Amino acid sequence: MERKHIEFIQSQSLYWTRGPDGIELKVLSEEAATGDRAALIRYPAGWQDNREDSLSAEEFFVLDGQLDIGGESFRRNYFGFLPERTGEARTSESGALVLSFRFASGDPDGRSEPLRIDTAAMPWDVTVLDGKLTHLRLARKILRLGPNDSGRTYLLAGLPHGVPQVPDMPQETHPHAEEMFMIHGEMKSPQGIMTTGAYFYRPGGILHGPHVSEFGFLMFMRQPGSNRVITEWSERRAPLPIDAAFAPRSAFELPEAWRTPHPVRPVY
Ligand SMILES: [Fe+2]
């Protein structure tokens, strides 16, 4: 089973819900039957938890604050991966805002070595570019490659003024899923303008794009189903999505707050 198509939401539009253990949660995407889930998690200052039960594998990225797990510190811009395990001591003295991707219980894709990466200290890879995406001036940092070609997790950045001087462009389809959280920046799409805090989960086989960026972006990307991007470009070209109105696509009915247009430019 797979999580459902949602493209896109601004996570600011979702309400925080308080869990029984004191954390606050915004569930971005979930397969309730298996526990496969993407969420924003807010740990209050002084939070601590000692679990003794079985915990499914988890990838996470610290957006703010600091989280300590098993004596290891994860600060802002740190990426972590924890395989399925029994028991865990997790604390946050200062509080933390964390982007979390919890695997389904027993998922073999979550069986690999734990990772703790200070992503801000990694060099950007600017060498690998798809010829049809040169307008975005892309760079990336690969954070994790799943076992058995099960998926790649990476940071993707693009320069401002990534809008080509053409009226239309081809669209793309992948056989694998794509999942994105906008850490900072802006990207224009036919579904509207994604800004800081935007999120989508797109299963494989869905025609999408074109995408252009006027102000640049830093994205947290996941690619469930393949360790490399496989793209089929359409023959037919679609108009450039300049300032398209917010019109999210989804495989289920979105709550009204999620469909409400959001500010796309800073307010001074
Ligand atoms: Fe894509």
Side-chain angles (χ1 to χ4, degrees):
M1 279 223 275
E2 187 177 30
R3 286 185 273 142
K4 293 189 173 73
H5 188 199
I6 180 166
E7 180 176 4
F8 64 97
I9 50 175
Q10 284 294 139
S11 54
Q12 296 89 335
S13 303
L14 279 58
Y15 298 109
W16 289 106
T17 56
R18 191 177 290 273
D21 46 7
I23 60 167
E24 290 179 295
L25 204 67
K26 289 188 181 193
V27 175
L28 303 170
S29 164
E30 184 173 36
E31 176 52 64
T34 62
D36 183 12
R37 182 192 76 189
L40 278 177
I41 299 178
R42 197 155 68 178
Y43 296 89
W47 190 81
Q48 50 185 318
D49 193 18
N50 279 294
R51 303 278 297 268
E52 291 177 352
D53 50 343
S54 174
L55 300 160
S56 59
E58 183 184 7
E59 289 184 4
F60 61 95
F61 182 84
V62 179
L63 294 164
D64 218 345
Q66 179 173 324
L67 186 64
D68 295 288
I69 302 174
E72 296 213 85
S73 293
F74 295 83
R75 294 182 289 279
R76 189 165 73 222
N77 290 312
Y78 272 62
F79 169 76
F81 169 74
L82 301 165
E84 193 152 325
R85 63 220 178 271
T86 304
E88 180 180 272
R90 191 176 282 215
T91 62
S92 180
E93 201 178 313
S94 61
L97 176 64
V98 175
L99 179 63
S100 158
F101 300 89
R102 195 179 66 186
F103 289 54
S105 178
D107 187 343
D109 301 347
R111 291 185 192 135
S112 61
E113 289 299 303
L115 295 169
R116 175 177 167 272
I117 301 173
D118 178 2
T119 69
M122 287 176 80
W124 286 107
D125 175 3
V126 295
T127 59
V128 186
L129 293 174
D130 185 308
K132 293 201 169 53
L133 293 173
T134 53
H135 63 284
L136 295 175
R137 299 284 185 263
L138 295 172
R140 71 184 179 194
K141 300 185 182 192
I142 294 180
L143 306 177
R144 180 173 180 264
L145 295 170
N148 306 313
D149 203 25
S150 57
R152 182 174 71 173
T153 302
Y154 58 107
L155 296 177
L156 186 68
L159 285 177
H161 300 176
V163 183
Q165 301 299 303
V166 294
D168 50 37
M169 295 180 69
Q171 293 178 284
E172 52 185 286
T173 312
H174 315 290
H176 49 78
E178 281 189 308
E179 183 170 29
M180 188 286 296
F181 183 87
M182 183 76 79
I183 299 168
H184 190 83
E186 179 256 21
M187 178 169 269
K188 299 180 197 297
S189 80
Q191 287 74 46
I193 302 173
M194 295 179 251
T195 63
T196 302
Y199 170 81
F200 68 70
Y201 183 90
R202 183 191 303 128
I206 293 175
L207 187 70
H208 59 281
H211 294 116
V212 299
S213 179
E214 186 176 351
F215 298 107
F217 56 88
L218 172 61
M219 296 172 166
F220 187 93
M221 296 281 310
R222 297 178 82 240
Q223 202 179 282
S226 177
N227 282 8
R228 65 186 184 94
V229 181
I230 302 164
T231 305
E232 187 181 313
W233 291 97
S234 69
E235 292 289 328
R236 201 177 68 84
R237 297 172 73 91
L240 253 57
I242 304 298
D243 297 340
F246 184 47
R249 297 165 73 188
S250 65
F252 59 99
E253 193 168 340
L254 299 178
E256 191 185 338
W258 301 18
R259 290 185 274 112
T260 304
H262 51 93
V264 295
R265 298 297 306 276
V267 178
Y268 297 103

